[in-house]
């Protein structure tokens, strides 16, 4: 039933920032549903907002119908408190309360570079996108994009062609393949070769105003956004702007100054984006923990690390992910003492199985 309350609150028409504030105040979507108008006001809503949320309880049956549909159609719900909810996305100012997903959820455990660009790309854009995506996969990255025509679809195909992870973020319901010509990519992802995400309920049509919302998720899922080809005024630049707002690293491939298709990327470089001629340019700009993690994964990918750990270390190690995890979250998740958790975190760090990050966060390295 908790998923029904999460769907109910997620579908309520309110800014994500306000929703996150309410969620942090109440602690769960069920507690929000059970709240009174006065409690909503105490949590920061004005009376009009509080009254609207209270009356929205009448829409619980709609949430139940959405839940029935997703269960019938094997669609996942990833709530913001789910261990698989990407930490990089959780850290932006306006993450969705939940995501609808389909495919193999294990793909959510990787680090991603988001690759975006023009729908009408040139041969140059196609070639450089394919090359860079394959190179990124080979050093351990997954590729995230929006499954649009052009650069997006080439990025997904490149990752799939070498057995890499890819995430497609939709601006419509996850049960709708858009554009239809990308049905082959859609099917490949559904059958476990990647993962699809959308914050929009199943059967939601494709509306133009959904894409800016989708774009913040594309950038939010990644440690950096790579723009391989884009004209001035391209929707791709919205994703780059959102990435900048989220303090993500922006990478851009330079192009012919006479080509309209490169004016957007050239402008990004002029404004401070990292010029990319190979993945070395990307790797150099990554946070230390990401570089260390990718290096360790490459060196130790065939080793069963749990054989080298004691019982408490295994519990703490399994409670972490490939994305930064707050220590408080680890403590709440595990049924061992804080002292035992502290000792396990210390020894795991010393053994280079995990790394400690600023703000008391930890991340797997192996």
């Amino acid at each position: 039933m908790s998923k029904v309350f999460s769907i109910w609150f997620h579908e309520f028409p309110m800014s994500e920032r306000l929703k996150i504030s309410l969620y942090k105040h109440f602690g769960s979507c069920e507690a929000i549903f059970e709240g009174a108008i006065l409690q909503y006001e105490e949590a920061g809503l004005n009376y009009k907002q509080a009254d609207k949320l209270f009356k929205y309880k009448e829409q619980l049956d709609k949430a139940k119908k959405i839940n029935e549909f997703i269960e019938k159609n094997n669609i996942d719900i990833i709530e913001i408190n789910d261990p698989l909810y990407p930490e990089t996305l959780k850290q932006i100012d306006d993450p969705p309360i939940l995501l609808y997903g389909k495919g193999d959820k294990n793909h959510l455990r990787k680090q991603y570079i988001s690759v975006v660009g023009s729908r009408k790309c040139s041969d140059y854009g196609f070639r450089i996108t394919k090359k860079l995506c394959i190179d990124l996969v080979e050093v351990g990255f997954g590729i995230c994009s929006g499954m649009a025509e052009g650069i997006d679809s080439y990025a997904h195909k490149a990752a799939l062609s070498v057995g890499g992870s890819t995430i497609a973020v939709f601006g419509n319901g996850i049960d709708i393949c858009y554009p239809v010509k990308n049905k082959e990519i859609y099917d490949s992802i559904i059958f476990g070769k990647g993962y699809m995400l959308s914050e929009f309920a199943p059967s939601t049509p494709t509306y133009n105003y959904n894409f800016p919302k989708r774009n913040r998720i594309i950038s939010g899922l990644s440690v950096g956004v790579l723009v391989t080809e884009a004209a001035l005024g391209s929707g791709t630049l919205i994703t780059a702007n959102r990435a900048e707002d989220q303090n993500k690293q922006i990478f851009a491939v330079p192009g012919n100054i006479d080509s309209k298709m490169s004016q957007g990327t050239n402008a990004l470089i002029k404004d401070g984006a990292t010029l990319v001629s190979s993945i070395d340019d990307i790797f150099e700009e990554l946070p230390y923990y990401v570089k260390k993690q990718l290096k360790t994964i490459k060196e130790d990918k065939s080793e069963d690390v749990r054989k080298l750990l004691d019982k408490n270390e295994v519990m703490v190690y399994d409670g972490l992910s490939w994305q930064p995890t707050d220590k408080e979250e680890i403590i709440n998740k595990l049924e061992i003492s804080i002292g035992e958790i502290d000792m396990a975190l210390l020894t795991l760090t010393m053994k280079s199985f995990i790394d400690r990050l600023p703000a008391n966060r930890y991340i797997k390295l192996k």
Side-chain angles (χ1 to χ4, degrees):
M1 189 66 179
S2 67
K3 289 185 177 180
V4 172
F5 293 119
S6 294
I7 295 170
W8 167 81
F9 185 52
H10 175 69
E11 294 298 318
F12 179 62
M14 174 186 279
S15 75
E16 302 305 323
R17 288 180 176 85
L18 269 178
K19 286 182 185 177
I20 292 299
S21 178
L22 278 175
Y23 183 84
K24 288 179 178 178
H25 180 87
F26 284 92
S28 72
C29 293
E30 184 173 358
I32 294 171
F33 180 83
E34 293 173 349
I37 290 177
L38 181 60
Q39 290 175 300
Y40 296 154
E41 289 181 298
E42 289 172 348
L45 299 187
N46 60 41
Y47 177 79
K48 185 176 180 181
Q49 293 168 327
D51 183 58
K52 186 177 180 181
L53 178 58
F54 188 81
K55 289 177 179 177
Y56 193 71
K57 294 180 183 185
E58 299 172 358
Q59 300 298 317
L60 189 64
D61 283 344
K62 177 184 175 183
K64 289 178 180 178
K65 289 179 181 178
I66 293 174
N67 191 50
E68 289 171 4
F69 183 91
I70 66 170
E71 288 181 347
K72 183 179 179 181
N73 291 276
N74 298 314
I75 295 171
D76 302 318
I77 284 186
I78 302 167
E79 300 167 83
I80 198 163
N81 63 345
D82 190 313
L84 281 175
Y85 191 103
E87 191 68 27
T88 49
L89 182 60
K90 195 184 295 185
Q91 290 172 4
I92 70 173
D93 291 337
D94 52 355
I97 289 294
L98 64 77
L99 292 160
Y100 300 100
K102 200 168 180 65
D104 182 352
K105 286 192 285 190
N106 286 316
H107 290 285
L108 291 171
R109 300 181 186 275
K110 294 185 73 73
Q111 294 283 11
Y112 281 84
I113 293 288
S114 292
V115 180
V116 293
S118 296
R119 284 176 168 81
K120 296 179 180 179
C121 64
S122 67
D123 289 341
Y124 168 76
F126 162 70
R127 285 187 288 103
I128 202 66
T129 299
K130 181 177 180 180
K131 180 184 186 307
L132 291 173
C133 287
I134 289 174
D135 289 347
L136 286 166
V137 166
E138 288 179 346
V139 298
F141 277 111
I143 302 298
C144 176
S145 197
M147 215 176 87
E149 294 181 51
I151 297 297
D152 286 23
S153 59
Y154 293 141
H156 292 304
K157 286 178 180 178
L160 291 167
S161 72
V162 290
S165 292
T166 191
I167 289 180
V169 185
F170 287 19
N172 49 264
I174 210 161
D175 54 325
I176 300 171
C177 177
Y178 179 84
V180 176
K181 64 172 60 178
N182 280 342
K183 188 70 164 60
E184 183 180 347
I185 301 173
Y186 184 91
D187 288 342
S188 293
I189 292 174
I190 281 182
F191 293 116
K193 294 183 179 180
Y195 202 63
M196 296 186 298
L197 288 172
S198 177
E199 67 179 312
F200 302 104
S203 303
T204 300
T206 304
Y207 297 119
N208 287 338
Y209 53 76
N210 285 349
F211 290 109
K213 289 195 72 178
R214 176 204 66 170
N215 292 347
R216 87 185 193 288
I217 295 178
I218 293 174
S219 56
L221 284 166
S222 67
V223 295
V225 173
L226 170 63
V227 185
T228 55
E229 190 174 56
L232 285 173
S234 166
T236 299
L237 302 185
I238 297 175
T239 308
N241 289 335
R242 291 312 305 264
E244 186 176 22
D245 293 340
Q246 296 165 357
N247 294 316
K248 305 283 185 178
Q249 189 70 39
I250 302 171
F251 306 98
V253 177
N256 189 327
I257 61 173
D258 292 325
S259 170
K260 289 184 179 180
M261 302 309 299
S262 292
Q263 288 178 357
T265 47
N266 290 343
L268 286 173
I269 294 167
K270 185 178 179 180
D271 290 340
T274 298
L275 185 153
V276 173
S277 58
S278 74
I279 64 163
D280 291 339
D281 299 315
I282 296 173
F283 204 77
E284 285 176 9
E285 298 297 325
L286 295 174
Y288 171 73
Y289 77 86
V290 176
K291 290 190 278 190
K292 188 174 179 182
Q293 184 186 77
L294 291 171
K295 182 176 183 292
T296 309
I297 291 170
K298 187 175 181 180
E299 291 173 349
D300 299 299
K301 60 185 177 181
S302 62
E303 184 179 0
D304 185 357
V305 296
R306 289 171 185 78
K307 293 178 181 178
L308 306 174
L309 307 176
D310 66 26
K311 181 181 177 181
N312 286 344
E313 289 169 352
V314 169
M315 290 178 67
V316 172
Y317 178 81
D318 287 342
L320 297 173
S321 74
W322 301 110
Q323 299 184 39
T325 303
D326 189 82
K327 182 181 175 182
E328 197 65 33
E329 185 177 333
I330 303 167
I331 292 171
N332 293 334
K333 189 185 300 182
L334 302 179
E335 296 181 355
I336 56 176
S337 71
I338 294 176
E340 289 172 314
I341 290 173
D342 284 338
M343 180 57 69
L345 288 170
L346 177 62
T347 54
L348 286 167
T349 303
M350 291 174 65
K351 293 176 181 178
S352 294
F353 283 85
I354 67 173
D355 198 15
R356 181 176 179 177
L357 307 177
N360 232 4
R361 295 176 299 150
Y362 292 84
I363 190 167
K364 281 184 178 181
L365 292 177
K366 297 187 180 184

